[in-house]
Amino acid sequence: MIKRRMTLLVVCGLVLAALCAGPGGAAPRLSTAEAAAKAQERFEGAVLDIDRDEAEDDEPAKEVYEIRLLTKDGVIIRVRLDADTGAFLEAAGDNLIPAIRKPAQSR
């Protein structure tokens, strides 16, 4: 009886893990909080909004996050990330250069 319940628990755990992994066993999708953090790793600015959309034809992704950031100069920039991997795809907006985060100096 105990062995049967343990087997059932293991099978349920495996099914749950497969469902969480998504189709093809891929890793779970990036959350909106993770997407915002990735955009802010690359650019300085406050997050205005985040949308998840289908990728453009020329983008190597199925879905993308589009994050709009407001820079300290009052400029809105748009950052696009792959919704599954978090890979950086594009940034657009006026005066992007001042918003780029500089790498930390090694000591």
Side-chain angles (χ1 to χ4, degrees):
M1 182 83 155
I2 292 176
K3 186 176 180 181
R4 190 174 183 187
R5 283 186 181 173
M6 291 297 288
T7 302
L8 182 59
L9 285 173
V10 169
V11 169
C12 288
L14 292 173
V15 169
L16 182 59
L19 289 173
C20 288
R29 176 174 313 218
L30 200 67
S31 71
T32 54
E34 291 168 322
K38 283 196 168 283
Q40 288 181 311
E41 284 174 10
R42 199 155 194 163
F43 295 96
E44 294 179 17
V47 175
L48 293 175
D49 62 27
I50 301 174
D51 291 320
R52 190 172 67 214
D53 297 317
E54 288 185 20
E56 301 291 328
D57 291 337
D58 60 341
E59 292 176 319
K62 292 181 181 179
E63 289 187 328
V64 297
Y65 279 114
E66 184 170 296
I67 302 106
R68 291 184 342 132
L69 301 171
L70 178 64
T71 69
K72 64 183 176 185
D73 297 331
V75 174
I76 296 174
I77 59 174
R78 181 179 56 106
V79 178
R80 292 175 66 85
L81 304 174
D82 184 313
D84 289 323
T85 66
F88 175 80
L89 299 173
E90 177 187 27
D94 294 333
N95 209 10
L96 284 174
I97 302 298
I100 296 174
R101 287 203 184 267
K102 309 325 182 247
Q105 297 292 327
S106 58
R107 296 178 184 209

